[in-house]
Amino acid sequence: MPCAAMPGHRPEPLTSPPRRRLLLRIGALAGGAGALASTACAAPVPPLRRLACDDFDALWASFVGNFLQPDGRVLDPDTEARTSTSEGQAYALFFALVADDRPRFDQLLQWTRQNLCNGDLAARLPAWQWGRQRDGRWGVLDTNAASDADLWLAWTLIEAARLWNAPALATEGRALLARIRAEEVVEVPGLGTMLLPGPQGFVSADRLFWRFNPSYAPLHLLRGLASADPGGPWTVLAEQSVRTLPGMVPHGLAPDWATWSVQHTAPLRGHWIADTQHGDTGSYDAIRCYLWAGVAPADDPLRAALLQGLSGMQRHTRAATLPERFATRAPAGADPAAIARGTAPPGFAAALQPYLAALGDCAGVQHLAERLATACASGTRLRYYDHALALFSAGWLQQRWRCDRHGRLQRAPIPSIFRCPTP
């Protein structure tokens, strides 16, 4: 399923015009999760260097220039089939909404509608992957859907309709939401209501093994969909996203995938195990768990438990090398070298900044910001997935976007200036 973050070609370095200096004030970001902080903020954090990697506007301009085709297709040039995904289209629609870029939003939506949904968002869930087929023609490579992209797309359409006073967008968003409810929300024996990663391929034939991706259900999206569809399962799914953490994430490190194993007893019970296909590895998918937790509304009643459930990552952010992969079910006391492996790409440092900000770890945010700035200054140009993670993070840190506790998008046209609070 989609995670277009594969290693490969690194294009030329980015440049950006001079811009207003930005300071981080993590106290405003932390919103009430300070009790979870493990690092105290003793003094204001010094100004961060202004690079494309930490500025939403510059990142959006470079994303458009490097990945967005004139017809509205988001291209991942590092894939052999020159693919586009429903994830990429949905993320770009969100960035266009934050940037108040209606022309590009309309281009993105039109391409998505025509190429991933057979021209009608109400007719089918978007195919998750499109690109160059084996015979050289261009088209859908995999007709299965990806529920995270579907949630992002439905929510973004509904929010765009509200912010731009465009009721037709809400109609499409609600039609897609009805399909998500019908095809991707399921009742799992011994577990309850859950969001499948897609309509097909995630439940074993004997229905004893159910596979899930913990990064597919961001809390702020579920709150927004609950506001738009009060009779839907979205509030329950929000609660499940936190209730299932102890089993999915036993040591505070999120896996990319996890499997629910059903035991046929009376009553039916089950337990979480390492994923039947990908084991207990946490990497390119899981990094979004920390990002979504960090950007969760500050006054959401589930936010503190969500951050606490993912607290295992914080200690790894100060390592000499930010790891790329984690063994998320390694026993307590295991050799650290067996838990964390590899070197993370720049997007990981971007994704983890809101997470550390939410924990009140000001020094940690500064440390990751310096890592990211160093990577950008060294001539490393962000690939598609790194770029997307950086856009989410930079926009949130600059307060270009926020969600309230009801999941409604709040936009600011000009970056705010932050300072880390003194204790």
Side-chain angles (χ1 to χ4, degrees), residues 2 85-91 93 116 126-128 145-156 176 180 184 195 197 216 218 221 288:
T85 61
S86 56
E87 169 205 279
Q89 297 299 127
Y91 286 176
L93 281 162
L116 303 185
W128 87 266
S147 60
D148 65 328
D150 301 338
L151 289 183
W152 272 102
L153 182 54
W155 177 81
T156 300
L176 178 56
I180 296 171
E184 295 177 321
L195 178 74
Y216 271 29
L221 294 192
R288 294 177 296 194

mmCIF file of all heavy atoms in Angstrom, residues 2 85-91 93 116 126-128 145-156 176 180 184 195 197 216 218 221 288:
data_model
loop_
_atom_site.group_PDB
_atom_site.id
_atom_site.type_symbol
_atom_site.label_atom_id
_atom_site.label_comp_id
_atom_site.label_asym_id
_atom_site.label_seq_id
_atom_site.Cartn_x
_atom_site.Cartn_y
_atom_site.Cartn_z
ATOM 1 N N PRO A 2 0.315 2.389 -0.256
ATOM 2 C CA PRO A 2 1.132 3.534 -0.621
ATOM 3 C C PRO A 2 2.002 4.080 0.484
ATOM 4 O O PRO A 2 1.572 4.361 1.560
ATOM 5 C CB PRO A 2 0.097 4.583 -1.040
ATOM 6 C CG PRO A 2 -1.144 4.171 -0.364
ATOM 7 C CD PRO A 2 -1.108 2.694 -0.304
ATOM 8 N N THR A 85 -0.097 8.684 -6.674
ATOM 9 C CA THR A 85 -0.896 7.948 -5.712
ATOM 10 C C THR A 85 -2.044 8.806 -5.217
ATOM 11 O O THR A 85 -1.995 10.040 -5.274
ATOM 12 C CB THR A 85 -0.044 7.513 -4.500
ATOM 13 O OG1 THR A 85 0.469 8.676 -3.843
ATOM 14 C CG2 THR A 85 1.108 6.607 -4.926
ATOM 15 N N SER A 86 -3.060 8.140 -4.707
ATOM 16 C CA SER A 86 -4.166 8.891 -4.095
ATOM 17 C C SER A 86 -3.667 9.678 -2.897
ATOM 18 O O SER A 86 -4.158 10.778 -2.624
ATOM 19 C CB SER A 86 -5.297 7.941 -3.694
ATOM 20 O OG SER A 86 -4.841 6.910 -2.826
ATOM 21 N N GLU A 87 -2.657 9.146 -2.196
ATOM 22 C CA GLU A 87 -2.045 9.884 -1.089
ATOM 23 C C GLU A 87 -1.454 11.198 -1.567
ATOM 24 O O GLU A 87 -1.691 12.269 -0.996
ATOM 25 C CB GLU A 87 -0.952 9.038 -0.442
ATOM 26 C CG GLU A 87 -0.069 9.768 0.546
ATOM 27 C CD GLU A 87 1.294 9.125 0.688
ATOM 28 O OE1 GLU A 87 1.401 8.135 1.431
ATOM 29 O OE2 GLU A 87 2.251 9.620 0.052
ATOM 30 N N GLY A 88 -0.652 11.134 -2.630
ATOM 31 C CA GLY A 88 -0.023 12.334 -3.151
ATOM 32 C C GLY A 88 -1.032 13.373 -3.603
ATOM 33 O O GLY A 88 -0.860 14.580 -3.359
ATOM 34 N N GLN A 89 -2.100 12.917 -4.246
ATOM 35 C CA GLN A 89 -3.135 13.849 -4.702
ATOM 36 C C GLN A 89 -3.843 14.488 -3.510
ATOM 37 O O GLN A 89 -4.103 15.698 -3.493
ATOM 38 C CB GLN A 89 -4.144 13.116 -5.584
ATOM 39 C CG GLN A 89 -3.579 12.531 -6.871
ATOM 40 C CD GLN A 89 -2.992 13.569 -7.809
ATOM 41 O OE1 GLN A 89 -1.850 13.465 -8.240
ATOM 42 N NE2 GLN A 89 -3.769 14.597 -8.125
ATOM 43 N N ALA A 90 -4.163 13.681 -2.497
ATOM 44 C CA ALA A 90 -4.881 14.199 -1.330
ATOM 45 C C ALA A 90 -4.019 15.170 -0.536
ATOM 46 O O ALA A 90 -4.492 16.226 -0.099
ATOM 47 C CB ALA A 90 -5.341 13.040 -0.448
ATOM 48 N N TYR A 91 -2.751 14.816 -0.326
ATOM 49 C CA TYR A 91 -1.865 15.723 0.393
ATOM 50 C C TYR A 91 -1.744 17.060 -0.346
ATOM 51 O O TYR A 91 -1.798 18.137 0.264
ATOM 52 C CB TYR A 91 -0.474 15.108 0.531
ATOM 53 C CG TYR A 91 -0.342 13.996 1.542
ATOM 54 C CD1 TYR A 91 0.871 13.319 1.680
ATOM 55 C CD2 TYR A 91 -1.399 13.605 2.351
ATOM 56 C CE1 TYR A 91 1.027 12.293 2.605
ATOM 57 C CE2 TYR A 91 -1.256 12.575 3.273
ATOM 58 C CZ TYR A 91 -0.038 11.920 3.396
ATOM 59 O OH TYR A 91 0.118 10.900 4.307
ATOM 60 N N LEU A 93 -3.800 18.465 -2.415
ATOM 61 C CA LEU A 93 -5.046 19.222 -2.284
ATOM 62 C C LEU A 93 -5.078 19.966 -0.949
ATOM 63 O O LEU A 93 -5.494 21.134 -0.883
ATOM 64 C CB LEU A 93 -6.249 18.284 -2.412
ATOM 65 C CG LEU A 93 -6.619 17.884 -3.839
ATOM 66 C CD1 LEU A 93 -7.502 16.643 -3.829
ATOM 67 C CD2 LEU A 93 -7.333 19.031 -4.553
ATOM 68 N N LEU A 116 -8.406 8.629 -11.158
ATOM 69 C CA LEU A 116 -8.451 7.657 -10.062
ATOM 70 C C LEU A 116 -9.863 7.211 -9.714
ATOM 71 O O LEU A 116 -10.042 6.216 -9.014
ATOM 72 C CB LEU A 116 -7.786 8.245 -8.805
ATOM 73 C CG LEU A 116 -6.331 8.709 -8.951
ATOM 74 C CD1 LEU A 116 -5.786 9.145 -7.604
ATOM 75 C CD2 LEU A 116 -5.451 7.627 -9.579
ATOM 76 N N PRO A 126 -11.089 6.213 -4.777
ATOM 77 C CA PRO A 126 -9.954 6.437 -5.686
ATOM 78 C C PRO A 126 -9.011 5.243 -5.717
ATOM 79 O O PRO A 126 -8.683 4.664 -4.677
ATOM 80 C CB PRO A 126 -9.253 7.655 -5.082
ATOM 81 C CG PRO A 126 -10.264 8.307 -4.199
ATOM 82 C CD PRO A 126 -11.146 7.210 -3.701
ATOM 83 N N ALA A 127 -8.576 4.862 -6.904
ATOM 84 C CA ALA A 127 -7.503 3.876 -7.023
ATOM 85 C C ALA A 127 -6.248 4.473 -6.401
ATOM 86 O O ALA A 127 -5.959 5.650 -6.580
ATOM 87 C CB ALA A 127 -7.258 3.539 -8.490
ATOM 88 N N TRP A 128 -5.494 3.659 -5.690
ATOM 89 C CA TRP A 128 -4.388 4.242 -4.931
ATOM 90 C C TRP A 128 -3.141 4.494 -5.768
ATOM 91 O O TRP A 128 -2.334 5.365 -5.444
ATOM 92 C CB TRP A 128 -4.047 3.399 -3.705
ATOM 93 C CG TRP A 128 -3.082 2.266 -3.892
ATOM 94 C CD1 TRP A 128 -3.384 0.969 -4.139
ATOM 95 C CD2 TRP A 128 -1.647 2.332 -3.798
ATOM 96 N NE1 TRP A 128 -2.237 0.222 -4.225
ATOM 97 C CE2 TRP A 128 -1.156 1.030 -4.008
ATOM 98 C CE3 TRP A 128 -0.744 3.360 -3.547
ATOM 99 C CZ2 TRP A 128 0.204 0.713 -3.995
ATOM 100 C CZ3 TRP A 128 0.617 3.052 -3.530
ATOM 101 C CH2 TRP A 128 1.078 1.750 -3.753
ATOM 102 N N ALA A 145 -8.094 0.825 -3.003
ATOM 103 C CA ALA A 145 -8.031 2.164 -2.423
ATOM 104 C C ALA A 145 -7.122 2.156 -1.193
ATOM 105 O O ALA A 145 -6.785 1.098 -0.654
ATOM 106 C CB ALA A 145 -9.427 2.644 -2.040
ATOM 107 N N ALA A 146 -6.732 3.336 -0.756
ATOM 108 C CA ALA A 146 -5.958 3.537 0.471
ATOM 109 C C ALA A 146 -6.778 4.443 1.378
ATOM 110 O O ALA A 146 -7.025 5.601 1.046
ATOM 111 C CB ALA A 146 -4.603 4.158 0.171
ATOM 112 N N SER A 147 -7.192 3.933 2.529
ATOM 113 C CA SER A 147 -8.169 4.655 3.344
ATOM 114 C C SER A 147 -7.614 5.947 3.928
ATOM 115 O O SER A 147 -8.367 6.888 4.182
ATOM 116 C CB SER A 147 -8.702 3.754 4.459
ATOM 117 O OG SER A 147 -7.666 3.310 5.322
ATOM 118 N N ASP A 148 -6.294 6.028 4.140
ATOM 119 C CA ASP A 148 -5.769 7.295 4.653
ATOM 120 C C ASP A 148 -5.930 8.402 3.620
ATOM 121 O O ASP A 148 -6.356 9.516 3.936
ATOM 122 C CB ASP A 148 -4.312 7.150 5.079
ATOM 123 C CG ASP A 148 -3.356 6.840 3.938
ATOM 124 O OD1 ASP A 148 -3.773 6.155 2.979
ATOM 125 O OD2 ASP A 148 -2.186 7.264 3.999
ATOM 126 N N ALA A 149 -5.615 8.102 2.364
ATOM 127 C CA ALA A 149 -5.818 9.085 1.303
ATOM 128 C C ALA A 149 -7.286 9.432 1.157
ATOM 129 O O ALA A 149 -7.648 10.595 0.931
ATOM 130 C CB ALA A 149 -5.266 8.549 -0.014
ATOM 131 N N ASP A 150 -8.146 8.439 1.309
ATOM 132 C CA ASP A 150 -9.581 8.690 1.180
ATOM 133 C C ASP A 150 -10.079 9.633 2.278
ATOM 134 O O ASP A 150 -10.864 10.545 2.013
ATOM 135 C CB ASP A 150 -10.346 7.361 1.236
ATOM 136 C CG ASP A 150 -9.924 6.395 0.136
ATOM 137 O OD1 ASP A 150 -9.374 6.869 -0.887
ATOM 138 O OD2 ASP A 150 -10.119 5.180 0.297
ATOM 139 N N LEU A 151 -9.610 9.418 3.519
ATOM 140 C CA LEU A 151 -9.989 10.319 4.611
ATOM 141 C C LEU A 151 -9.491 11.736 4.351
ATOM 142 O O LEU A 151 -10.233 12.709 4.537
ATOM 143 C CB LEU A 151 -9.419 9.818 5.937
ATOM 144 C CG LEU A 151 -10.022 8.566 6.559
ATOM 145 C CD1 LEU A 151 -9.352 8.288 7.900
ATOM 146 C CD2 LEU A 151 -11.522 8.679 6.741
ATOM 147 N N TRP A 152 -8.219 11.855 3.957
ATOM 148 C CA TRP A 152 -7.668 13.185 3.681
ATOM 149 C C TRP A 152 -8.440 13.887 2.565
ATOM 150 O O TRP A 152 -8.722 15.088 2.647
ATOM 151 C CB TRP A 152 -6.188 13.081 3.294
ATOM 152 C CG TRP A 152 -5.258 13.120 4.465
ATOM 153 C CD1 TRP A 152 -4.615 12.067 5.045
ATOM 154 C CD2 TRP A 152 -4.859 14.275 5.215
ATOM 155 N NE1 TRP A 152 -3.838 12.489 6.105
ATOM 156 C CE2 TRP A 152 -3.970 13.838 6.231
ATOM 157 C CE3 TRP A 152 -5.160 15.635 5.120
ATOM 158 C CZ2 TRP A 152 -3.392 14.719 7.144
ATOM 159 C CZ3 TRP A 152 -4.580 16.514 6.031
ATOM 160 C CH2 TRP A 152 -3.703 16.056 7.025
ATOM 161 N N LEU A 153 -8.792 13.132 1.534
ATOM 162 C CA LEU A 153 -9.495 13.726 0.404
ATOM 163 C C LEU A 153 -10.896 14.189 0.799
ATOM 164 O O LEU A 153 -11.303 15.318 0.502
ATOM 165 C CB LEU A 153 -9.559 12.720 -0.749
ATOM 166 C CG LEU A 153 -10.227 13.173 -2.040
ATOM 167 C CD1 LEU A 153 -9.619 14.463 -2.562
ATOM 168 C CD2 LEU A 153 -10.125 12.071 -3.093
ATOM 169 N N ALA A 154 -11.645 13.327 1.496
ATOM 170 C CA ALA A 154 -13.001 13.694 1.907
ATOM 171 C C ALA A 154 -12.981 14.896 2.838
ATOM 172 O O ALA A 154 -13.753 15.851 2.675
ATOM 173 C CB ALA A 154 -13.683 12.497 2.581
ATOM 174 N N TRP A 155 -12.100 14.867 3.845
ATOM 175 C CA TRP A 155 -12.020 15.975 4.804
ATOM 176 C C TRP A 155 -11.620 17.269 4.122
ATOM 177 O O TRP A 155 -12.191 18.336 4.388
ATOM 178 C CB TRP A 155 -11.032 15.612 5.906
ATOM 179 C CG TRP A 155 -10.798 16.688 6.921
ATOM 180 C CD1 TRP A 155 -11.578 17.005 7.988
ATOM 181 C CD2 TRP A 155 -9.689 17.603 6.953
ATOM 182 N NE1 TRP A 155 -11.020 18.057 8.698
ATOM 183 C CE2 TRP A 155 -9.873 18.434 8.080
ATOM 184 C CE3 TRP A 155 -8.556 17.785 6.144
ATOM 185 C CZ2 TRP A 155 -8.953 19.445 8.413
ATOM 186 C CZ3 TRP A 155 -7.655 18.783 6.477
ATOM 187 C CH2 TRP A 155 -7.859 19.595 7.605
ATOM 188 N N THR A 156 -10.617 17.207 3.234
ATOM 189 C CA THR A 156 -10.145 18.416 2.557
ATOM 190 C C THR A 156 -11.242 19.008 1.674
ATOM 191 O O THR A 156 -11.414 20.239 1.619
ATOM 192 C CB THR A 156 -8.897 18.106 1.726
ATOM 193 O OG1 THR A 156 -7.862 17.625 2.592
ATOM 194 C CG2 THR A 156 -8.396 19.341 1.001
ATOM 195 N N LEU A 176 -17.896 10.762 -1.082
ATOM 196 C CA LEU A 176 -16.730 9.927 -0.818
ATOM 197 C C LEU A 176 -16.773 9.384 0.599
ATOM 198 O O LEU A 176 -16.450 8.207 0.843
ATOM 199 C CB LEU A 176 -15.460 10.752 -1.032
ATOM 200 C CG LEU A 176 -14.128 10.060 -0.757
ATOM 201 C CD1 LEU A 176 -13.984 8.792 -1.581
ATOM 202 C CD2 LEU A 176 -12.974 11.022 -1.046
ATOM 203 N N ILE A 180 -16.441 5.511 2.021
ATOM 204 C CA ILE A 180 -15.496 5.067 3.048
ATOM 205 C C ILE A 180 -16.240 4.284 4.128
ATOM 206 O O ILE A 180 -15.793 3.206 4.566
ATOM 207 C CB ILE A 180 -14.757 6.274 3.655
ATOM 208 C CG1 ILE A 180 -13.908 6.979 2.597
ATOM 209 C CG2 ILE A 180 -13.884 5.835 4.833
ATOM 210 C CD1 ILE A 180 -13.329 8.304 3.052
ATOM 211 N N GLU A 184 -14.758 0.669 3.869
ATOM 212 C CA GLU A 184 -13.491 0.614 4.597
ATOM 213 C C GLU A 184 -13.637 0.609 6.115
ATOM 214 O O GLU A 184 -12.649 0.408 6.817
ATOM 215 C CB GLU A 184 -12.602 1.795 4.168
ATOM 216 C CG GLU A 184 -12.188 1.714 2.701
ATOM 217 C CD GLU A 184 -11.369 2.886 2.234
ATOM 218 O OE1 GLU A 184 -11.664 4.037 2.632
ATOM 219 O OE2 GLU A 184 -10.430 2.673 1.441
ATOM 220 N N LEU A 195 -10.925 1.067 11.012
ATOM 221 C CA LEU A 195 -10.739 1.511 9.640
ATOM 222 C C LEU A 195 -9.738 0.582 8.963
ATOM 223 O O LEU A 195 -8.561 0.551 9.336
ATOM 224 C CB LEU A 195 -10.218 2.949 9.611
ATOM 225 C CG LEU A 195 -9.934 3.537 8.232
ATOM 226 C CD1 LEU A 195 -11.242 3.872 7.515
ATOM 227 C CD2 LEU A 195 -9.048 4.785 8.342
ATOM 228 N N PRO A 197 -7.159 -0.570 6.045
ATOM 229 C CA PRO A 197 -6.280 0.222 5.181
ATOM 230 C C PRO A 197 -6.814 0.378 3.761
ATOM 231 O O PRO A 197 -6.404 1.289 3.039
ATOM 232 C CB PRO A 197 -4.968 -0.574 5.194
ATOM 233 C CG PRO A 197 -5.017 -1.371 6.459
ATOM 234 C CD PRO A 197 -6.462 -1.721 6.634
ATOM 235 N N TYR A 216 -2.911 5.642 9.518
ATOM 236 C CA TYR A 216 -3.956 5.931 8.534
ATOM 237 C C TYR A 216 -5.127 6.729 9.083
ATOM 238 O O TYR A 216 -6.013 7.099 8.300
ATOM 239 C CB TYR A 216 -4.481 4.622 7.936
ATOM 240 C CG TYR A 216 -3.723 4.152 6.716
ATOM 241 C CD1 TYR A 216 -2.374 4.452 6.545
ATOM 242 C CD2 TYR A 216 -4.345 3.399 5.732
ATOM 243 C CE1 TYR A 216 -1.686 4.010 5.435
ATOM 244 C CE2 TYR A 216 -3.661 2.970 4.610
ATOM 245 C CZ TYR A 216 -2.328 3.273 4.462
ATOM 246 O OH TYR A 216 -1.646 2.853 3.352
ATOM 247 N N PRO A 218 -5.519 9.931 11.260
ATOM 248 C CA PRO A 218 -5.149 11.100 12.079
ATOM 249 C C PRO A 218 -6.333 11.604 12.897
ATOM 250 O O PRO A 218 -7.458 11.693 12.400
ATOM 251 C CB PRO A 218 -4.727 12.134 11.025
ATOM 252 C CG PRO A 218 -4.357 11.333 9.820
ATOM 253 C CD PRO A 218 -5.273 10.155 9.833
ATOM 254 N N LEU A 221 -8.416 14.592 11.542
ATOM 255 C CA LEU A 221 -9.318 14.256 10.436
ATOM 256 C C LEU A 221 -10.593 13.606 10.957
ATOM 257 O O LEU A 221 -11.702 13.938 10.507
ATOM 258 C CB LEU A 221 -8.633 13.300 9.459
ATOM 259 C CG LEU A 221 -7.437 13.782 8.655
ATOM 260 C CD1 LEU A 221 -7.129 12.778 7.553
ATOM 261 C CD2 LEU A 221 -7.678 15.154 8.055
ATOM 262 N N ARG A 288 4.551 9.036 10.362
ATOM 263 C CA ARG A 288 3.387 9.921 10.346
ATOM 264 C C ARG A 288 2.596 9.846 11.642
ATOM 265 O O ARG A 288 1.885 10.790 11.989
ATOM 266 C CB ARG A 288 2.492 9.576 9.163
ATOM 267 C CG ARG A 288 3.133 9.851 7.819
ATOM 268 C CD ARG A 288 2.260 9.441 6.672
ATOM 269 N NE ARG A 288 2.018 8.009 6.634
ATOM 270 C CZ ARG A 288 1.514 7.368 5.585
ATOM 271 N NH1 ARG A 288 1.178 8.029 4.494
ATOM 272 N NH2 ARG A 288 1.333 6.066 5.625
#
